Amino acid sequence: TQSLIMRNTYLRSFPINLCQYQLSLISADFSQNFINSPITFNTFNCLRNLQFLNISNNLINFIEDSSFDYLTNLRVLDLRNNRLTVIGTDLFYFKLPNLTHLILRNNQIIDLDIWFLFLRNIRYVDISFNQIRRFVNRKNWNPYFISPSSQLM
């Protein structure tokens, strides 16, 4: 098990050499920095063994829909205290099969698609302290197939 902790290091973007840890990195913490670069497909796609990703307390305002496509082992994703206004409908659509905790607390999200209710193993979703005005259903999900073990906060 290998962890990379770059907390409170005044980073403005993610390190470009993350792929050197692609086989061994299980946990990455980039919290409490000044990262304002968008998260794209190339940011984390090589970190296929990653299970914990903390990018909270930054200045991130955009996440590309394909950003987490290859993070199939990810269990915890912490995006709290950023400047996210939109979470794309396809960001998690049939992706992240092992995700159990998703923290979107204290962003600036206005409209939120109900996709998070259909994540296979999700147990905890925190969307508190956002500016959510409405929930939408862009994929026409059937709300009667929601997992009873999910907890929405």
Side-chain angles (χ1 to χ4, degrees):
T1 303
Q2 186 171 2
S3 296
L4 175 64
I5 300 172
M6 298 186 77
R7 184 182 314 130
N8 203 15
T9 56
Y10 300 98
L11 286 176
R12 297 201 181 281
S13 61
F14 293 102
I16 57 173
N17 62 339
L18 284 176
C19 288
Q20 76 184 32
Y21 304 105
Q22 65 183 331
L23 298 177
S24 59
L25 194 61
I26 302 297
S27 176
D29 184 346
F30 299 101
S31 64
Q32 299 178 13
N33 282 293
F34 297 97
I35 299 172
N36 61 3
S37 57
I39 298 174
T40 66
F41 174 78
N42 293 322
T43 308
F44 301 113
N45 71 334
C46 61
L47 302 176
R48 297 177 185 198
N49 292 320
L50 200 63
Q51 294 180 19
F52 304 95
L53 179 58
N54 184 350
I55 45 183
S56 64
N57 297 295
N58 278 287
L59 305 171
I60 299 165
N61 63 13
F62 180 76
I63 303 174
E64 189 177 271
D65 278 350
S66 61
S67 296
F68 306 126
D69 283 5
Y70 290 106
L71 299 184
T72 56
N73 291 307
L74 196 64
R75 292 190 289 160
V76 177
L77 178 58
D78 190 344
L79 293 161
R80 82 179 87 197
N81 298 321
N82 275 288
R83 295 183 176 172
L84 297 170
T85 58
V86 173
I87 300 295
T89 302
D90 291 326
L91 183 61
F92 300 107
Y93 185 63
F94 288 108
K95 302 170 187 174
L96 301 176
N98 293 302
L99 192 69
T100 60
H101 290 72
L102 175 61
I103 305 163
L104 296 167
R105 179 185 187 95
N106 200 26
N107 276 283
Q108 299 166 8
I109 301 168
I110 297 171
D111 290 346
L112 188 62
D113 198 291
I114 63 169
W115 52 259
F116 60 85
L117 296 173
F118 294 90
L119 291 170
R120 184 181 319 161
N121 289 310
I122 200 71
R123 298 288 178 263
Y124 179 85
V125 176
D126 186 348
I127 56 172
S128 56
F129 299 102
N130 276 282
Q131 301 168 15
I132 298 172
R133 294 187 192 140
R134 66 186 177 132
F135 290 97
V136 295
N137 188 359
R138 292 185 184 97
K139 296 275 187 196
N140 293 316
W141 294 96
N142 184 341
Y144 296 105
F145 292 110
I146 296 175
S147 169
S149 62
S150 297
Q151 178 182 359
L152 176 62
M153 301 216 54

